[in-house]
Amino acid sequence: MNDFLPISRAEMEERGWTQPDFVYICGDSYIDHPSFGCAIITRVLESAGYKVAILSQPDVKEDAPFTQFGRPRLGFLISAGNVDSMVNHYTVAKKRRATDFYTAGGVMGKRPDRATIVYSNIVRRLYPEAPILIGGVEASMRRFAHYDYWDNAVRPSILQDAKADLLLYGMGEHQIVEVADRLAAGEPVAAIRDVRGTCYFAERSELPDGYVECASFEKVRENKRSYAKAQAIQYNECDCATGHLLVQKHGDRVLVATPPSRPLAREELDRVYSLPYQRTYHPSYEALGGVPAIAEVEFSIIHNRGCFGGCNFCAIAVHQGRHVTSRSAESVLEEAERMTHNPRFKGYIHDVGGPTANFRGPSCDGQLERGMCKNGRKCLAPTPCPKLKVDHREYDDILERMRRIPGIKKVFVRSGIRFDYLNLDRDQTFFDHLVKYHVSGQLKVAPENCSDRVLRAMGKPGIASYRKFQRAFYQKTKQIGKKQYLVPYLMSSHPGSGLKEAIDLALFLKEEGLRPQQVQDFYPTPFSISTCMYYTGMDPFTLEEIYVATDPHEKAMQRALIQYFLPQNQQLVLEALKRAGRWDLIGFGPECLVKPDAKTAAALRARRQAQGEKRGQSRRPSGRQKGGREPWHSAKPSAGRAKSKKKR
């Protein structure tokens, strides 16, 4: 018997079980590592005394995979996997991806589109009376009526389409154990309606006092202003300290979301990460080449949860929450020491991070009592809150102690560093150590854009913050005699970005000497504030209008501008510059973004001639316009022209 949880009837019987308490159906291949929700929830249940069998990527065309374990004693748990199944399957251009990062061998097509709904409906048909609990990112982010990018329409709560009994949103450890204990005690699933971090459907007459209501599914489907207002209410009620019971009418029934579960305390996090994970994929996948997703995380350590950064395009604020909690130093270091005994470990810890690597605790005092600020107010953007606590000492101490563990050669930090937060620390010790010890040649950071207008829509700080960090990083790198580089993450077509802002970003990259190899188009994923902006064309907190690029061709131009230097992007960049009236950026000069093709060169000459005639200026015999070179001319005169000029 291996030490993984059973994934087949045979493996279950090897353990001497005749019936599991729960069957966990997952859209991913089974990886028993704490970077994956399936592993955490199943190990937490196991530690609470429950028998859990895992049904990974069942063939939805057959009933046999769903019936191999029989009916579980307590119920079915269903998740699409670590990523929303539609995001997993499709690019932002809605094209099918070639590989599935979370499937053995990278094979695409092992899970259905809208996997949570498909799996749940099959189970409901086969086992009509069995309790069905859905969770994971897909269910969590679709718990209310939501704009769906792939349908280009508003869909109802996923709980309605899935025909499940309960939806567990957020990270889930508290909820799953409480629900399991109550089911085990004989309580019907329909009676479990007071567990924090869950959603269910009820009649209006059954609602308790003190709830907050947002616009109905029918209303937000028809009215974008109502959708934006509902989104603001939902976001404000996501706080574990101040959130209320939140309801949203769907037809004759009401969707009820209980207040968010409180984040795990430090000792609880320590316990979760001490469970007996095998830290790799199930051995049955070895013949298929393993599961690609393990590569980046097998020798990485998660030390925190939650993020008070609050980027508007990010799912973390409404899934993990904005309250930051972290593991103890001893827990993190024990995990690092255990890695050194793994025969696959080569001495390199790839990352010690989390949603944001350099956050270890609350952004200010009293958050668990007063809650986080509402209505779009953020801790770091557009400017830092005066109450913000900045302290890297504990994180720096953990990294320093980890470097001294025998068998560890290098400790890297590869998950996101909030450079704006780092800028605020008057003590430069961590910054110095980061540059000296923890950068593997390149440090990835996320300025995302350079336009303050776009950055404000993103919930990010102004570009001055990035410039300050960049200067300090390269200065410190130079002082220690290393060659290290910043790799900025950039996003095109985010709400607020038009062609003008995209051109400004291209000019910023040219000025900084940056040639990004990868660009992320804004991807409207369910429940993010940015997705609400994309769909409604307004900021949900202020209801002010915001420009949104929805035309695929304009989005292609914005993307091309970020990589203006690629030959295959020339025509799109030329078109964008012409449309924006930026002919001055077409040419051979150092200030130009792209060279003209023959047609554009002719157009430039015609424009020059028309402008000259309009100003009543005469032309010189050389054919050059008085006042100097047109922007499409060479920055330096040719040898022949220089010689001719000298003779004159």
Side-chain angles (χ1 to χ4, degrees):
M1 181 179 72
N2 63 52
D3 292 321
F4 289 82
L5 296 177
I7 65 169
S8 66
R9 181 84 193 182
E11 288 189 6
M12 182 182 78
E13 291 174 347
E14 280 183 30
R15 289 177 169 247
W17 302 354
T18 57
Q19 181 189 34
D21 294 321
F22 292 99
V23 172
Y24 189 114
I25 304 176
C26 185
D28 293 339
S29 292
Y30 174 33
I31 302 177
D32 191 28
H33 187 286
S35 291
F36 301 87
C38 171
I40 287 181
I41 294 300
T42 54
R43 288 295 186 185
V44 166
L45 281 170
E46 180 190 46
S47 71
Y50 295 101
K51 301 173 182 177
V52 187
I54 294 177
L55 180 56
S56 174
Q57 299 185 321
D59 185 349
V60 298
K61 297 176 183 177
E62 304 287 339
D63 289 346
F66 293 87
T67 59
Q68 63 175 300
F69 296 110
R71 173 176 168 167
R73 184 173 71 93
L74 298 177
F76 287 91
L77 312 175
I78 296 175
S79 168
N82 252 34
V83 179
D84 185 283
S85 60
M86 300 302 285
V87 175
N88 181 277
H89 284 173
Y90 299 98
T91 69
V92 67
K94 301 184 181 180
K95 295 180 180 178
R96 190 80 166 178
R97 298 188 194 273
T99 58
D100 187 336
F101 195 59
Y102 296 94
T103 295
V107 177
M108 179 56 75
K110 290 294 185 178
R111 85 188 80 210
D113 286 356
R114 310 192 187 282
T116 303
I117 295 171
V118 174
Y119 293 152
S120 186
N121 276 272
I122 292 172
V123 171
R124 180 60 74 210
R125 173 173 58 82
L126 295 172
Y127 298 99
E129 304 303 319
I132 299 175
L133 283 60
I134 60 175
V137 169
E138 182 166 274
S140 187
M141 302 304 289
R142 296 173 179 268
R143 58 190 184 264
F144 299 106
H146 56 280
Y147 171 72
D148 182 88
Y149 176 64
W150 305 271
D151 281 357
N152 192 27
V154 176
R155 293 177 66 96
S157 166
I158 193 173
L159 187 62
Q160 175 169 297
D161 287 339
K163 301 180 176 66
D165 296 292
L166 273 179
L167 183 157
L168 279 59
Y169 71 87
M171 299 303 284
E173 292 99 339
H174 283 153
Q175 301 97 299
I176 193 62
V177 172
E178 183 175 353
V179 171
D181 288 347
R182 290 169 67 169
L183 290 172
E187 189 171 351
V189 68
I192 301 175
R193 296 189 166 186
D194 56 348
V195 177
R196 294 178 69 105
T198 61
C199 298
Y200 58 88
F201 274 106
E203 302 298 325
R204 185 170 288 278
S205 59
E206 300 171 328
L207 294 178
D209 295 333
Y211 63 83
V212 172
E213 186 164 7
C214 63
S216 69
F217 160 56
E218 291 78 13
K219 189 167 185 178
V220 300
R221 181 178 56 185
E222 302 301 327
N223 187 290
K224 292 184 177 181
R225 189 176 181 87
S226 295
Y227 186 102
K229 289 181 176 180
Q231 174 89 57
I233 293 171
Q234 292 158 12
Y235 189 88
N236 284 338
E237 298 302 332
C238 279
D239 189 87
C240 64
T242 61
H244 296 84
L245 196 78
L246 181 58
V247 305
Q248 184 179 48
K249 186 172 178 290
H250 281 59
D252 296 331
R253 298 189 299 167
V254 177
L255 174 75
V256 181
T258 62
S261 177
R262 287 188 171 256
L264 298 187
R266 177 164 286 191
E267 56 274 15
E268 292 175 310
L269 270 177
D270 287 354
R271 183 170 178 274
V272 165
Y273 284 89
S274 70
L275 297 175
Y277 305 101
Q278 300 303 293
R279 301 192 67 86
T280 188
Y281 48 77
H282 191 275
S284 63
Y285 303 133
E286 197 66 52
L288 300 174
V291 185
I294 194 64
E296 283 298 313
V297 300
E298 183 177 10
F299 299 115
S300 295
I301 297 174
I302 298 170
H303 76 92
N304 63 8
R305 272 195 190 172
C307 180
F308 55 73
C311 299
N312 286 336
F313 49 80
C314 183
I316 292 170
V318 290
H319 182 63
Q320 289 196 16
R322 291 191 290 159
H323 292 267
V324 173
T325 55
S326 57
R327 297 164 60 187
S328 69
E330 290 69 25
S331 171
V332 175
L333 294 167
E334 284 171 9
E335 183 174 348
E337 198 279 331
R338 285 196 301 270
M339 284 184 183
T340 66
H341 303 288
N342 187 324
R344 297 184 299 276
F345 185 64
K346 305 300 182 184
Y348 298 92
I349 292 182
H350 298 157
D351 188 27
V352 182
T356 297
N358 55 326
F359 290 171
R360 284 286 293 169
S363 58
C364 67
D365 293 326
Q367 282 180 358
L368 286 178
E369 289 72 38
R370 298 194 308 270
M372 302 293 289
C373 293
K374 297 188 176 184
N375 299 317
R377 292 181 61 190
K378 301 182 185 301
C379 302
L380 283 160
T383 56
C385 175
K387 296 181 180 179
L388 182 67
K389 294 171 59 178
V390 181
D391 191 343
H392 290 91
R393 287 175 296 178
E394 187 178 43
Y395 185 42
D396 185 52
D397 179 66
I398 289 171
L399 295 174
E400 183 178 357
R401 292 167 65 184
M402 195 176 294
R403 294 196 303 267
R404 298 200 300 262
I405 295 175
I408 293 179
K409 299 175 183 177
K410 291 284 186 180
V411 179
F412 297 121
V413 176
R414 288 180 174 169
S415 54
I417 287 282
R418 278 300 291 240
F419 56 81
D420 49 342
Y421 182 72
L422 185 54
N423 284 343
L424 299 172
D425 197 340
R426 296 180 180 179
D427 182 349
Q428 293 285 290
T429 305
F430 169 68
F431 200 168
D432 292 337
H433 288 170
L434 173 71
V435 172
K436 186 174 182 179
Y437 299 114
H438 304 297
V439 177
S440 58
Q442 297 179 337
L443 180 65
K444 296 177 180 178
V445 289
E448 304 292 0
N449 209 284
C450 70
S451 163
D452 285 348
R453 174 188 173 189
V454 179
L455 290 168
R456 184 178 287 270
M458 290 178 166
K460 301 281 286 185
I463 195 60
S465 181
Y466 174 72
R467 289 185 185 274
K468 178 181 178 181
F469 171 78
Q470 179 181 249
R471 286 194 300 271
F473 175 85
Y474 283 115
Q475 181 181 15
K476 292 176 186 295
T477 296
K478 183 178 180 180
Q479 287 171 352
I480 61 174
K482 283 190 173 184
K483 290 186 177 180
Q484 298 180 147
Y485 304 94
L486 294 177
V487 178
Y489 284 121
L490 301 166
M491 185 182 295
S492 63
S493 303
H494 187 277
S497 177
L499 286 180
K500 176 187 179 301
E501 288 74 23
I503 292 168
D504 288 344
L505 180 55
L507 291 171
F508 168 79
L509 295 172
K510 185 179 179 68
E511 177 187 346
E512 297 295 334
L514 298 171
R515 293 197 164 197
Q517 298 304 306
Q518 292 183 327
V519 178
Q520 173 63 57
D521 283 347
F522 168 64
Y523 204 146
T525 54
F527 205 0
S528 77
I529 296 298
S530 296
T531 297
C532 178
M533 293 178 182
Y534 175 86
Y535 172 59
T536 65
M538 62 186 78
D539 182 319
F541 300 111
T542 66
L543 300 181
E544 294 176 354
E545 291 187 4
I546 187 168
Y547 177 79
V548 179
T550 56
D551 174 60
H553 190 64
E554 182 189 341
K555 293 174 73 174
M557 286 191 287
Q558 290 202 33
R559 180 186 177 91
L561 280 161
I562 295 178
Q563 295 177 308
Y564 64 89
F565 48 86
L566 296 178
Q568 61 266 34
N569 287 343
Q570 182 190 33
Q571 291 304 313
L572 282 171
V573 174
L574 283 171
E575 182 182 352
L577 294 175
K578 293 174 189 176
R579 186 180 294 190
R582 294 303 304 270
W583 294 81
D584 57 306
L585 299 178
I586 303 171
F588 298 92
E591 73 281 7
C592 297
L593 291 177
V594 66
K595 298 175 183 178
D597 55 14
K599 184 177 179 180
T600 305
L604 278 165
R605 285 193 293 269
R607 284 174 59 84
R608 180 190 60 189
Q609 184 175 359
Q611 289 169 357
E613 291 174 354
K614 186 176 180 180
R615 291 195 299 265
Q617 295 175 329
S618 61
R619 301 184 61 81
R620 293 187 177 184
S622 65
R624 290 169 56 207
Q625 180 180 337
K626 184 178 180 181
R629 187 181 300 114
E630 276 291 311
W632 57 273
H633 280 295
S634 172
K636 294 182 179 179
S638 67
R641 178 172 293 174
K643 198 176 292 183
S644 170
K645 184 176 180 181
K646 188 174 182 181
K647 286 180 180 178
R648 289 201 300 270

